[in-house]
Amino acid sequence: TQLLEQSPQFLSIQEGENLTVYCNSSSVFSSLQWYRQEPGEGPVLLVTVVTGGEVKKLKRLTFQFGDARKDSSLHITAAQPGDTGLYLCAGAGGNKLVFGAGTILRVKS
Amino acid sequence: NAGVTQTPKFQVLKTGQSMTLQCAQDMNHNSMYWYRQDPGMGLRLIYYSASEGTTDKGEVPNGYNVSRLNKREFSLRLESAAPSQTSVYFCASSVYSGLIYEQYFGPGTRLTVT
């Protein structure tokens, strides 16, 4: 069974701080996706990384896929209250995804 | 274009009752999925349908059945609800673009079994 471990589980920071969320596995994935989920809603896809070592930027969010395609990180620069939510990583194997347990991020103003 | 829709949004059942959760997508996606989400456990796959006419078990299929009614609709049935099935249920559909499948989620159904 493929497992994805996310850390930290919970992060509470002040507006303007930087943070990094990690997603690790002992398995290799063909691609890795990051989702953001707000309370009462379904997850929304933020980005997909496919190539080992790949770095993608989405405004203040930077996503990196490990060289061995087993791990990934999400870095947020100058966090804002609007970044508050649950961040989920998901590893792809064929047309199915394996999800991590998620990181709850709270950004205080 | 509504994306993925789910009904109902909330439901309370007594142990032993049955119900069907409905899901529909208007994006012409081939694959559809049912997940449950519990605190601290992320999303776990219950069943999925790679294409119209096919269904397969996921990680936690016990106590559930599914029907892929047509390309648009994929329903999840609880025949005899148990308190352990209290959860938030998400339906998703996916499209294949290049090397990857990208999933799109519905708003969820919050189910409580007493």
Side-chain angles (χ1 to χ4, degrees):
Chain A
T1 302
Q2 295 177 309
L3 292 174
L4 275 169
E5 293 187 3
Q6 278 188 246
S7 61
Q9 284 185 296
F10 182 76
L11 201 51
S12 180
I13 60 172
Q14 289 295 134
E15 181 177 2
E17 292 183 1
N18 301 332
L19 66 114
T20 303
V21 176
Y22 299 93
C23 178
N24 295 296
S25 175
S26 57
S27 303
V28 175
F29 292 100
S30 57
S31 65
L32 198 138
Q33 300 177 1
W34 285 92
Y35 290 79
R36 178 166 167 264
Q37 184 179 15
E38 297 194 36
E41 298 182 8
V44 175
L45 179 66
L46 294 174
V47 76
T48 302
V49 284
V50 179
T51 307
E54 182 177 3
V55 177
K56 278 192 175 178
K57 292 196 174 188
L58 191 66
K59 295 183 181 177
R60 294 176 293 99
L61 279 60
T62 302
F63 304 86
Q64 186 161 7
F65 202 13
D67 290 341
R69 305 204 331 267
K70 294 182 180 181
D71 56 88
S72 181
S73 63
L74 157 60
H75 182 80
I76 300 180
T77 303
Q80 298 177 1
D83 295 326
T84 292
L86 173 67
Y87 288 82
L88 295 158
C89 66
N95 66 352
K96 292 191 291 182
L97 293 177
V98 174
F99 281 85
T103 294
I104 298 172
L105 171 65
R106 181 184 171 204
V107 182
K108 296 175 283 187
S109 56
Chain B
N1 191 340
V4 179
T5 57
Q6 292 183 236
T7 55
K9 240 184 132 46
F10 300 93
Q11 183 71 50
V12 179
L13 291 178
K14 294 189 182 204
T15 298
Q17 288 185 319
S18 62
M19 79 161 294
T20 299
L21 282 64
Q22 307 287 353
C23 174
Q25 53 94 7
D26 62 2
M27 296 176 283
N28 202 36
H29 290 170
N30 284 324
S31 301
M32 297 185 73
Y33 310 80
W34 275 106
Y35 293 90
R36 60 178 289 171
Q37 185 174 37
D38 302 292
M41 301 191 74
L43 287 152
R44 292 183 292 168
L45 183 64
I46 304 171
Y47 270 94
Y48 69 102
S49 170
S51 60
E52 187 179 353
T54 69
T55 59
D56 285 288
K57 294 178 181 179
E59 182 186 352
V60 288
N62 292 344
Y64 305 94
N65 283 302
V66 290
S67 294
R68 183 74 184 267
L69 304 169
N70 47 54
K71 191 170 186 179
R72 289 187 65 247
E73 298 171 288
F74 188 38
S75 62
L76 178 71
R77 182 160 178 84
L78 286 69
E79 290 291 352
S80 178
S84 61
Q85 293 178 306
T86 293
S87 188
V88 182
Y89 291 86
F90 289 99
C91 176
S93 66
S94 75
V95 61
Y96 184 68
S97 56
L99 297 173
I100 56 178
Y101 286 89
E102 297 184 338
Q103 293 196 6
Y104 295 82
F105 286 82
T109 294
R110 281 140 192 85
L111 175 66
T112 301
V113 183
T114 61

